[in-house]
Amino acid sequence: MADKLPSEFDVIVIGTGLPESIIAAACSRSGQSVLHVDSRSYYGGNWAGFNFSGLLSWIKEYQEESDVGEEWAAWQELILETEEAIVLRKKDQTVQHVEVICYVRQDSDDPIEKAGAVQKNPVSVMSPGLNDPLDTVDTSCSDTSELPAPHNEPETALEVLEVEVTLEKENQHGYTSCSQSALERDIAEHVPIMEDVANAPKKHWITYSQIVKEGRKFNIDLTSKLLYSRGLLIDLLIKSNVSRYAEFKNVTRILGYQEGNVLQVPCSRADVFNSKKLTMVEKRMLMKFLTFCLDYEQHPDEYKAYEQSTFSEYLKTQKLTPNLRHFVLHSIAMTSETSSNTLDGLRETRNFLQCLGRYGNTPFLFPLYGQGEMPQCFCRMCAVFGGTYCLNHAVQCLVVDKESGKCKAIIDHFGQRISAKYFVVEDSYLSEKTCSNVTYRQISRAVLITDGSILNADSDQHISILTVPPVEPGSAAVRVIELCSSTMTCMKGTYLVHLTCMSLKKTAREDLELVVQKLFTPYAEVELENGEQEKPSLLWALYFNMRDSSGINRDSYNNLPSNMYVCSGPDCFLGNEHAVKQAKTFFQHILPNEEFCPPLPNPEDIVFDGDGVQPEVLVPKPDTAKEVTGQRNPEEHAQE
Amino acid sequence: MHGRLKVKTTEKQAEAKRVEREQKLKLYREATEAIFQKRQEGHLDESVLELTSQILGANPDFATMWNCRREVLMHLETQKSPEEFATLVAAELGFLESCLRVNPKSYGTWHHRCWLLGRLPEPNWTRELELCAKFLEADERNFHCWDYRRFVAQKAAVPPAEELAFTDSLITRNFSNYSSWHYRSCLLPKLQPLPDSQPPGRLPEDILLRELELVQNAFFTDPNDQSAWFYHRWLLGRADPKDAIRCLLVSRNEACLTVCFSRPIIVSPGIETLMLFVDKSPLPVEWRTPDGRNRPNYVWLCDLPTDFFNGQSPQHSFSLMWGEVQKECVLYKGLKESWCQDSATDEQLFRMELSMEKSTVLQSELESCKELQDLEPDNKWCLLTIILLMRALDPLVYEKDTLKYFQALKVADPMRASYLDDLRSKFLMENYILKMEYADVRVLDLSYKDLTLLCHLDQLLLVTHLNLSHNLLRSLPPALAMLRCLEVLQADGNAIESVEGVVNLPRLQELSLCDNRLQHPLALQTLASCPKLSLLSLECNPLCQLEAAPEELRAMLPGVDRILT
C-alpha cells in the first residue's frame, strides 16, 4: 500500500468484524465509496479464524504485555481549532485470561532420537525424514473409505445455496491436495514394510510437532457460531449473492448430555423414525409436541396458563418423559432450566424446528474453513463493488466538528486525514474515555484439539452441537461444537472442539474446565487395557475470555457524534442474528431509501455507458476480488 | 451516483424477454417442421438426431420426437459399423441424462432410456443403478425413476436383498415414500422362497415381524402420513388365494350343475375351459352365469340333459376340472340334490393364516395401536388399522369392539362415512357367514344389521332362507342371482328401488319386499324369470299408490299366485 489513499470517502468502516463487513458491503453495493480499515493484520477482529501458527501468534500477542508503542502526537497538528478528536484505542483489550495447555508430547520432533526412548511408539519404526507418516497413512485410508460422505454433503449444500469455492480457496485447495497426494503416494510405499515390522497397535500417537506441521489444516475461530438455516444471515447471504463466496456443511448431529452420557437427540422426523432409543409412545409424544410448537401461537389455550412459569415447568405438563423433556429443554430449545419462561422456550423450539430440513437433518449450517470466512465474504462483496481495503492500518482518531457535533474525518497512522460522511467503528476500537459508562459482559471460550469424537458413530465425519446443562449450581450452560476434519478446520484424525458460555466466574478456564473434564481425558500415550477408551483425549487446549459488547445502548457511549455508529463484537448466542440486525439498522440510518444488500442484477441487464466511461466496478471480476483477499495471507500468496 | 450499477428497467427487461421468446419459438417451429419433412422423406440420418435433440432439450415431453429418434437409431444400426454405432449410443445416453436433468419426471425420456438399454448388446446396468440412485437422492419420491430402477434391477438381476437395502436407505431418510414401500412389497416375497404349500406373495414370519416393527415406527412418528398405513395394510392383507373350486352343486329337479369358483372367471374357449365328467365320461355342456350376463362371475352353471336322471343307474358321479383343479360330487339315488363345498371356516377366508407366534405379534400390534389411539383419538388411520387388526386376529371375538370402532371412525372421518358403512357391512356379512357355517345351516338371518351393501354372495350358494329385512339396502344386486337354492327371501324395511338380482332363481317361492321404495311395477319385471315364485309381498311401497299397479303386476307375473299390495 505504497500509494496514498484518496482523501475522501462516503463511508469509513473501522474494524472488519461481521457487522462492520456487512455494512461495508451493503454501502458499497448501494454505490457508496467505502474505506474499510483494520489495525490488525487479519480480517474479522474477534470474528477471525486462524490456522494453528496464526493462532499461536494471536495468543502471543495477548499473553505478552507488549508496549503500546510510543505516542505519535503529530496528528494533533492536523486538528483544526474548530475541531476536536476522539482518540481511538491503541491496544485491543477485549481478550483476557488466555491460557494454553498442551497435552501432547512437545519435545523435539526428530523421530530418530525418539527411537530408543519409546519402544511402543510406532513412530520409531519410521524411516527418517517422514516424521508423521502413520498419521498420513491413516488419513489416506480414511480418505477412500469415507469418500461418499464428504462427497455428498457439499453437493447438497451446493444445490441450494449455489455456493462456489472462492478463487483463492481453489488455489489453496489445489495446492494442498496436490502436494498431499504426492506425499501420500510416497508414504503408501512405506506402509507394508512398516506394518510388517511393527505388527503394532493401530493406534498412532499424535505429537505437538505434527499439529504444528499440519497447522495449515486448522482454521480455528475465535468466535464459535453456527448459521440457523432460516436465520437472518443465511437469508442475507442468499439474497445478496454473497453465498457464492462460501461453502457450507450441514451440522449432522444434535447431541444431548444426560447423566454423564452424550446422546444423539432425535429432532427431525427422520431422526424420530430411525431412533432406536425411543419407545413408540415417546416417538408419538415427541412428534406431537414438536408439531404443536411449530404453530403454538395458533393454540394459545395449550400454554396460556403457563406463561408465567418456566419452560421446564411447562414441559412437565406435556406428557413428555423426563428423557424427552431434557432433550427439548437443552438441545432443541437450548434454553435455561431455571430462567427461561414458557414463551421463550416455545419460540426457540419453533425457531429450531423451522430451520430443520431446509438443507438437511439439523437446523444448522457451518461454513467450510470456519466462521471466520463470514466477514471476509462480505468484505469481498464490498471490494467487488469498489470498496477500498487496508489491513494493518491503524486509525489515530476521529475528527469531530465542534459546531455541528458531527464526525468529519479520520486521521490514520500515516497522519493522512481522510474525510467521510459516515463512520462505522467497532466497539473494541473505542477508548476508555468513550466507554467509561459502559459495562461489558464476558464470554468464556475454550478451543480444544482432540483425537476422537464425543460420540462415536458409523462415520467419523460428524459436525455436532451439544449443550451441556449447568454442571453445578452457579455455573452456566455450555455450548459445545465439535468439528470434524472435513469442515476444513482441523487436520485429519483430530477434532476441533469449541466451547462457549456466558462468563460467570473469573476466568474462562474456571467456567469451562469442569465440562472439559467430563467430556475428555488428557492425552496419554498409554495403551489402555481392554482396548477402547471411553472418552476422547485432549491434545491441546486454549482458554480465553472475550468481551461481549452486544446489546449496549448507544447512549451509554460518551459523546458519540450522530454520524458515527458503533458495532458490537460477537455475542454469546449461537446464531448471527444480532450482527445482521445491527448492520441492517445502521445501514438504514445511513441510507434510509436504499435496499439492504439487494441481489446482483443479471449480467445481461447491466447497461454499459455508451461513451466509454466505465463505472469503476461493474460486475464481479475474479481478479479484482483476488487482489482483495490476496492481502490476507502473504505467506500463501508467496507460495502461489 | 458515482460507481453505481446501471441496470435495464423492467420495461426494457420485459421487451428483451419478449424478443428472446419470439426467437426461441421461431427456432422451435422451424426445427419441428424440418424434422417432420425429413421423416416424411425418409431421411433418417444424424441430422435428425441433432434437430430432435434441440427440440427435446427444451421440451422432453414431445413424444413424437422420441419416436423419430428411435426410427433414426434403428435405421443407423443397420448402416453403421458396430464401433460407430456404439459411439452414437454413448452420445444418446449422455443426451438422455441431460434431458433428465431438465425434467426428471418426463415419461418420454425414461421410456426412451428403457428402450435404448433394452436394445444394447452389453448394457452397463451398474451405471444405470447409480443413475437411479442419484436421481432418487434428488427426489426420493420420483416414481418415474423408481419405475426405471425396477426395470434395471430386473434386467440386471440385482438380488432382492440389495434392492431392499436400497429402499431401506431411502425410507430412513424420509419414510413418506409410497414408491419405496411399494417396492418393498414387491421385493420381500422374493427374498426367501416359500414352501409350495403357501400361496405366493406371502412373507415368512420373521420378515413380516420385522416389517411390522418398521412400519409401526413410521406411524408412531407421523400417524397422518398415509404411505406407512398403506404398507401396513398390505402386510396384514391376505395373498390372493390359490385357484380352487369352492362348491359343486347338482340338482336333480332343475337338471342343473352349479359351480362356484375361488375368483370371478369367464368360462369361454381361450379364456377358461372347464371339463365335466359325468360317471367318468366327458359331457359337453353349455356354461352360463346365473344372471345371464357374460361377465366374470364366481358362479357358473350348466343344464344337464333332461333325460339324464331317468336312467337306471342308482347314483351319478360328477367331476369338474378347471385347469389343474378338480372337484367331485356324487348324487345318490333318491336325493334331490347333492353338493361338495369347501367351508369358509376351514379356509379362514376372512382372516390371516396365523401361527401362534404371529398372532401374539398381531396382538401386540393391536395393543400399541390402541395406545396410539389413546394419544391420537381422532386419527382415522389408527382406528381403521385397529379394526383391521381385530379382524385379522379373530373377526367373531372382536365383533362388538369392531362395531364400536367403526362408530368412532365415522365421526373422525365423516367424508368417508358411506365407504365405512359399506366396509362395516362387508365385515358383518363375513361374520354371519362364519356363524352360519359353524351352525351348519342353510338359513341366514341378516335383519336389523344396518347393512348398506351385500357382498360375499358367492358364499351363499346353498342358502335356502335369507332374511335381509330392516337394513339400509337400496337394491338387490345382480350378484344375488348366485343364490341358486334360495326359496324364501325377506327384504322388508329397506330402501330398495331395484331388484335386478332376483333373476333366474329356480327355487324362489316367497319374496317379501314390504316397506321399500319400489316406484313402479316395471321394476319387478325380472321376477318373471323365477318359475316357482308364488308369494310376493309389496305392501307399503310407492307403487301401491298406483291404481293400475295390481293389474299390471298380475299381467307381468302370471305365475305368481298371490301378490300383496
Side-chain angles (χ1 to χ4, degrees):
Chain A
M1 278 288 166
D3 297 339
K4 253 189 131 187
L5 288 167
S7 58
E8 204 180 319
F9 286 89
D10 292 324
V11 182
I12 294 176
V13 182
I14 302 171
T16 51
L18 185 58
E20 303 96 273
S21 303
I22 296 173
I23 295 170
C27 291
S28 177
R29 173 71 183 85
S30 293
Q32 303 289 303
S33 62
V34 175
L35 173 64
H36 199 173
V37 298
D38 198 312
S39 62
R40 296 161 170 114
S41 59
Y42 50 86
Y43 281 93
N46 281 346
W47 301 77
F50 299 99
N51 63 29
F52 195 71
S53 66
L55 185 67
L56 293 181
S57 340
W58 179 88
I59 292 167
K60 211 168 147 199
E61 195 181 316
Y62 283 99
Q63 279 181 329
E64 277 173 12
E65 279 302 317
S66 65
D67 50 336
V68 177
E70 62 213 65
E71 195 68 14
W72 180 79
W75 55 268
Q76 283 168 348
E77 294 162 14
L78 295 167
I79 309 277
L80 304 178
E81 263 182 39
T82 56
E83 299 166 340
E84 57 189 359
I86 301 179
V87 184
L88 295 187
R89 194 186 285 271
K90 288 284 170 307
K91 176 153 169 67
D92 181 82
Q93 284 178 349
T94 54
V95 173
Q96 307 169 61
H97 312 303
V98 180
E99 288 178 78
V100 176
I101 304 142
C102 184
Y103 297 90
V104 284
R105 212 156 22 89
Q106 227 172 338
D107 36 26
S108 158
D109 55 349
D110 189 342
I112 296 293
E113 288 174 33
K114 290 267 125 9
V118 192
Q119 276 303 339
K120 252 189 159 177
N121 189 347
V123 171
S124 57
V125 213
M126 294 316 306
S127 52
L130 291 167
N131 43 6
D132 55 354
L134 266 175
D135 178 61
T136 329
V137 169
D138 199 38
T139 55
S140 70
C141 291
S142 72
D143 236 354
T144 39
S145 61
E146 289 302 323
L147 206 63
H151 250 255
N152 294 338
E153 283 169 63
E155 253 174 32
T156 40
L158 250 159
E159 269 172 25
V160 212
L161 273 172
E162 298 182 8
V163 283
E164 296 171 30
V165 182
T166 64
L167 197 74
E168 183 212 0
K169 283 290 154 44
E170 271 165 1
N171 287 342
Q172 187 191 347
H173 203 76
Y175 168 74
T176 47
S177 65
C178 175
S179 72
Q180 196 186 342
S181 63
L183 189 67
E184 277 168 7
R185 232 178 296 122
D186 196 17
I187 280 136
E189 289 162 17
H190 288 81
V191 181
I193 308 164
M194 191 186 69
E195 282 181 352
D196 281 348
V197 177
N199 184 22
K202 285 193 184 116
K203 178 105 184 149
H204 61 270
W205 310 117
I206 297 169
T207 61
Y208 187 68
S209 65
Q210 260 172 274
I211 294 175
V212 172
K213 190 157 183 285
E214 297 218 39
R216 288 186 47 195
K217 297 274 165 62
F218 288 89
N219 276 295
I220 301 168
D221 291 319
L222 298 181
T223 294
S224 169
K225 284 180 179 293
L226 294 175
L227 284 74
Y228 277 94
S229 62
R230 286 189 197 280
L232 295 176
L233 185 54
I234 289 279
D235 288 348
L236 179 62
L237 285 166
I238 292 172
K239 181 185 166 207
S240 63
N241 300 69
V242 171
S243 57
R244 68 171 60 194
Y245 303 135
E247 254 189 298
F248 298 90
K249 272 199 172 211
N250 223 114
V251 170
T252 55
R253 301 188 297 190
I254 310 290
L255 304 179
Y257 189 80
Q258 205 179 12
E259 286 155 12
N261 295 314
V262 177
L263 306 163
Q264 182 160 1
V265 175
C267 53
S268 69
R269 212 169 86 117
D271 285 352
V272 174
F273 170 64
N274 292 317
S275 168
K276 301 253 183 284
K277 296 239 166 70
L278 300 181
T279 67
M280 293 292 171
V281 174
E282 279 185 317
K283 287 184 182 200
R284 183 79 290 271
M285 291 325 301
L286 181 59
M287 282 301 289
K288 197 172 176 162
F289 178 72
L290 296 180
T291 316
F292 154 73
C293 287
L294 263 178
D295 60 350
Y296 70 93
E297 277 168 328
Q298 311 299 315
H299 311 282
D301 318 345
E302 304 261 339
Y303 62 88
K304 263 285 183 285
Y306 302 95
E307 267 182 30
Q308 300 311 315
S309 37
T310 63
F311 188 48
S312 84
E313 287 296 321
Y314 172 69
L315 289 175
K316 282 182 196 155
T317 67
Q318 290 300 300
K319 290 196 221 157
L320 297 170
T321 57
N323 251 342
L324 296 180
R325 288 205 299 269
H326 184 92
F327 287 158
V328 171
L329 184 68
H330 296 293
S331 303
I332 293 179
M334 291 182 279
T335 53
S336 144
E337 185 148 16
T338 47
S339 63
S340 52
N341 67 34
T342 302
L343 283 181
D344 290 339
L346 287 171
R347 196 179 48 244
E348 287 304 317
T349 308
R350 183 183 60 184
N351 186 27
F352 181 101
L353 295 170
Q354 282 174 338
C355 293
L356 263 182
R358 184 173 192 185
Y359 300 120
N361 232 355
T362 73
F364 307 111
L365 292 181
F366 180 78
L368 289 191
Y369 304 96
Q371 166 83 20
E373 291 295 298
M374 290 292 98
Q376 292 191 63
C377 291
F378 284 97
C379 290
R380 187 162 174 199
M381 166 87 162
C382 174
V384 163
F385 283 90
T388 305
Y389 274 80
C390 296
L391 291 183
N392 286 317
H393 201 101
V395 173
Q396 304 281 349
C397 66
L398 299 165
V399 183
V400 181
D401 183 64
K402 278 184 187 161
E403 196 186 310
S404 64
K406 285 198 164 193
C407 193
K408 290 165 79 176
I410 60 163
I411 294 172
D412 69 12
H413 62 146
F414 296 120
Q416 187 185 357
R417 183 179 167 124
I418 305 165
S419 55
K421 297 185 200 110
Y422 299 97
F423 299 83
V424 178
V425 184
E426 201 257 315
D427 171 89
S428 67
Y429 285 86
L430 299 175
S431 68
E432 257 158 68
K433 196 178 156 203
T434 316
C435 308
S436 59
N437 293 327
V438 183
T439 38
Y440 294 104
R441 279 159 299 162
Q442 294 286 331
I443 302 167
S444 284
R445 290 273 292 115
V447 176
L448 317 173
I449 300 172
T450 71
D451 72 342
S453 174
I454 44 176
L455 181 62
N456 282 321
D458 47 339
S459 159
D460 63 352
Q461 293 297 310
H462 276 296
I463 309 174
S464 316
I465 170 166
L466 161 72
T467 312
V468 181
V471 284
E472 54 182 24
S475 66
V478 176
R479 184 172 74 236
V480 181
I481 295 176
E482 182 186 80
L483 304 167
C484 60
S485 60
S486 63
T487 60
M488 306 302 180
T489 58
C490 57
M491 68 185 231
K492 282 180 180 156
T494 66
Y495 292 83
L496 185 65
V497 183
H498 287 283
L499 284 81
T500 311
C501 76
M502 218 164 24
S503 178
L504 295 176
K505 296 180 184 159
K506 200 163 156 265
T507 68
R509 190 168 174 182
E510 284 171 42
D511 274 322
L512 296 168
E513 198 163 31
L514 214 52
V515 171
V516 172
Q517 281 165 2
K518 281 185 186 291
L519 295 173
F520 306 97
T521 53
Y523 191 77
E525 288 186 10
V526 180
E527 201 68 55
L528 284 181
E529 298 287 324
N530 299 331
E532 293 217 1
Q533 207 173 327
E534 273 183 17
K535 299 173 183 174
S537 303
L538 262 182
L539 308 179
W540 186 86
L542 160 70
Y543 294 93
F544 62 93
N545 283 105
M546 185 186 278
R547 192 157 89 182
D548 177 359
S549 52
S550 66
I552 290 164
N553 195 316
R554 185 183 166 84
D555 302 332
S556 313
Y557 296 106
N558 300 325
N559 306 320
L560 224 49
S562 61
N563 58 344
M564 172 176 163
Y565 301 91
V566 179
C567 287
S568 2
D571 61 17
C572 193
F573 296 103
L574 177 60
N576 296 279
E577 319 308 292
H578 181 266
V580 179
K581 266 186 209 155
Q582 188 173 53
K584 189 170 179 179
T585 311
F586 291 170
F587 173 82
Q588 282 165 345
H589 268 116
I590 297 170
L591 298 166
N593 300 318
E594 287 287 326
E595 194 187 342
F596 181 59
C597 290
L600 292 180
N602 186 337
E604 286 174 15
D605 293 336
I606 295 171
V607 182
F608 292 89
D609 278 350
D611 50 2
V613 184
Q614 295 270 322
E616 270 179 26
V617 179
L618 273 177
V619 257
K621 287 188 194 123
D623 48 350
T624 354
K626 196 177 165 191
E627 255 170 56
V628 183
T629 38
Q631 294 178 355
R632 176 187 168 214
N633 194 333
E635 187 196 347
E636 259 166 39
H637 207 57
Q639 279 171 342
E640 278 169 20
Chain B
M1 211 188 289
H2 170 76
R4 166 143 285 202
L5 213 55
K6 289 182 190 155
V7 294
K8 290 178 191 168
T9 60
T10 34
E11 292 90 70
K12 275 192 204 157
Q13 274 176 0
E15 175 62 16
K17 203 151 221 165
R18 195 189 61 79
V19 172
E20 195 189 311
R21 290 176 72 167
E22 224 161 61
Q23 191 66 26
K24 260 193 189 162
L25 183 64
K26 199 168 151 245
L27 286 173
Y28 187 88
R29 287 207 173 124
E30 280 170 5
T32 315
E33 255 170 53
I35 293 162
F36 284 150
Q37 180 118 30
K38 286 193 182 235
R39 193 185 188 198
Q40 223 157 30
E41 291 164 6
H43 289 309
L44 297 173
D45 53 15
E46 276 108 326
S47 70
V48 179
L49 287 183
E50 173 55 36
L51 284 167
T52 49
S53 73
Q54 286 172 20
I55 299 285
L56 289 167
N59 174 17
D61 289 328
F62 199 157
T64 312
M65 295 295 139
W66 290 115
N67 286 335
C68 227
R69 280 181 96 80
R70 278 195 275 278
E71 286 167 17
V72 174
L73 286 168
M74 276 153 70
H75 177 69
L76 291 178
E77 195 173 6
T78 60
Q79 309 277 306
K80 301 270 179 186
S81 72
E83 292 78 30
E84 285 173 321
F85 189 67
T87 326
L88 268 179
V89 166
E92 189 71 1
L93 287 172
F95 171 67
L96 279 164
E97 271 160 52
S98 66
C99 286
L100 287 175
R101 270 198 286 272
V102 176
N103 181 359
K105 295 191 175 176
S106 157
Y107 285 96
T109 320
W110 287 108
H111 180 252
H112 190 69
R113 202 167 176 95
C114 268
W115 175 83
L116 188 64
L117 265 291
R119 286 183 70 83
L120 295 185
E122 287 170 348
N124 183 352
W125 295 120
T126 322
R127 196 169 171 284
E128 296 307 297
L129 285 172
E130 280 164 12
L131 178 100
C132 291
K134 264 235 158 78
F135 274 97
L136 288 175
E137 193 179 313
D139 175 2
E140 69 263 6
R141 290 172 47 150
N142 182 349
F143 62 81
H144 300 262
C145 185
W146 276 107
D147 209 24
Y148 184 67
R149 187 175 180 100
R150 284 194 291 273
F151 163 79
V152 173
Q154 190 216 336
K155 287 280 181 187
V158 180
E162 277 177 33
E163 284 298 279
L164 197 68
F166 179 76
T167 67
D168 266 338
S169 71
L170 281 157
I171 286 174
T172 310
R173 265 176 48 191
N174 178 5
F175 63 82
S176 178
N177 191 331
Y178 298 86
S179 305
S180 200
W181 290 118
H182 168 68
Y183 197 14
R184 288 182 92 75
S185 73
C186 301
L187 291 166
L188 287 170
K190 293 188 203 156
L191 215 51
Q192 277 176 27
L194 281 165
D196 286 342
S197 60
Q198 288 249 29
R202 291 318 302 161
L203 302 183
E205 253 174 41
D206 54 334
I207 296 183
L208 183 69
L209 302 185
R210 201 186 61 206
E211 293 302 300
L212 283 172
E213 195 194 334
L214 182 70
V215 78
Q216 202 180 42
N217 266 319
F219 58 66
F220 266 87
T221 305
D222 186 354
N224 292 316
D225 188 89
Q226 299 180 21
S227 62
W229 290 110
F230 278 128
Y231 184 62
H232 189 256
R233 218 173 156 170
W234 176 79
L235 289 172
L236 290 187
R238 289 173 48 88
D240 287 337
K242 276 186 165 178
D243 282 352
I245 299 173
R246 285 266 176 70
C247 182
L248 204 59
L249 166 71
V250 192
S251 159
R252 193 187 295 271
N253 288 355
E254 287 115 31
C256 177
L257 179 116
T258 312
V259 194
C260 178
F261 298 96
S262 57
R263 63 177 166 94
I265 61 169
I266 290 189
V267 179
S268 168
I271 305 175
E272 301 281 359
T273 31
L274 299 177
M275 297 267 286
L276 179 64
F277 296 84
V278 181
D279 298 332
K280 307 245 155 90
S281 49
L283 181 71
V285 287
E286 289 284 325
W287 293 99
R288 63 172 200 275
T289 59
D291 57 8
R293 293 199 266 186
N294 195 25
R295 296 262 190 84
N297 207 316
Y298 283 102
V299 174
W300 288 79
L301 46 99
C302 63
D303 292 323
L304 300 168
T306 39
D307 58 337
F308 189 76
F309 298 105
N310 304 330
Q312 302 305 311
S313 152
Q315 62 184 52
H316 294 285
S317 75
F318 298 85
S319 170
L320 185 71
M321 286 187 71
W322 170 40
E324 295 184 352
V325 183
Q326 186 179 1
K327 201 157 199 92
E328 281 181 40
C329 167
V330 180
L331 182 64
Y332 295 96
K333 193 176 182 182
L335 286 179
K336 271 192 254 169
E337 61 182 0
S338 176
W339 65 84
C340 175
Q341 189 189 24
D342 296 342
S343 151
T345 50
D346 295 345
E347 293 282 300
Q348 304 232 333
L349 267 186
F350 308 125
R351 61 194 277 191
M352 287 177 84
E353 316 84 336
L354 292 170
S355 68
M356 274 313 286
E357 189 188 350
K358 203 143 104 187
S359 99
T360 7
V361 172
L362 286 194
Q363 196 72 48
S364 76
E365 280 281 291
L366 180 61
E367 293 313 314
S368 52
C369 272
K370 282 182 175 170
E371 214 168 4
L372 180 58
Q373 203 253 331
D374 283 343
L375 303 171
E376 304 284 321
D378 300 331
N379 188 284
K380 57 182 183 182
W381 292 102
C382 185
L383 285 163
L384 184 58
T385 305
I386 290 177
I387 293 172
L388 294 172
L389 280 165
M390 287 176 164
R391 292 208 59 78
L393 278 162
D394 193 326
L396 294 181
V397 166
Y398 286 109
E399 183 173 295
K400 262 194 187 148
D401 287 340
T402 312
L403 293 177
K404 203 179 73 200
Y405 280 109
F406 260 115
Q407 291 221 309
L409 185 51
K410 259 177 89 166
V411 175
D413 191 10
M415 301 280 280
R416 276 162 208 79
S418 299
Y419 162 76
L420 294 169
D421 283 337
D422 285 357
L423 195 63
R424 181 183 160 282
S425 304
K426 177 171 173 254
F427 291 161
L428 269 181
M429 281 200 72
E430 290 174 358
N431 286 5
Y432 281 95
I433 289 169
L434 289 174
K435 286 179 193 170
M436 177 182 73
E437 296 217 347
Y438 281 121
D440 199 16
V441 292
R442 295 174 72 179
V443 179
L444 183 58
D445 183 359
L446 292 170
S447 57
Y448 296 101
K449 299 285 181 283
D450 292 334
L451 299 182
T452 56
L453 183 82
L454 296 175
C455 44
H456 296 302
L457 291 171
D458 54 297
Q459 299 289 327
L460 306 182
L461 184 60
L462 301 175
V463 167
T464 56
H465 290 70
L466 177 62
N467 187 353
L468 298 172
S469 297
H470 305 290
N471 282 299
L472 304 164
L473 301 172
R474 297 171 145 214
S475 73
L476 297 174
L480 200 77
M482 292 191 282
L483 279 66
R484 302 293 295 169
C485 301
L486 196 60
E487 290 164 17
V488 176
L489 173 60
Q490 289 161 282
D492 301 336
N494 281 287
I496 294 169
E497 291 170 16
S498 102
V499 296
E500 55 177 336
V502 188
V503 62
N504 298 332
L505 293 174
R507 302 183 194 172
L508 185 67
Q509 293 165 20
E510 287 184 39
L511 173 60
S512 183
L513 289 166
C514 301
D515 193 13
N516 274 297
R517 294 195 191 153
L518 295 163
Q519 302 289 336
H520 198 272
L522 280 177
L524 301 165
Q525 215 165 10
T526 53
L527 302 188
S529 63
C530 301
K532 297 218 170 144
L533 184 63
S534 60
L535 175 60
L536 175 62
S537 306
L538 294 169
E539 286 110 324
C540 298
N541 272 295
L543 64 77
C544 302
Q545 307 296 318
L546 303 174
E547 261 182 54
E551 213 165 305
E552 274 179 50
L553 284 166
R554 267 193 296 278
M556 203 168 67
L557 307 167
V560 183
D561 296 344
R562 294 169 65 200
I563 301 179
L564 307 174
T565 52

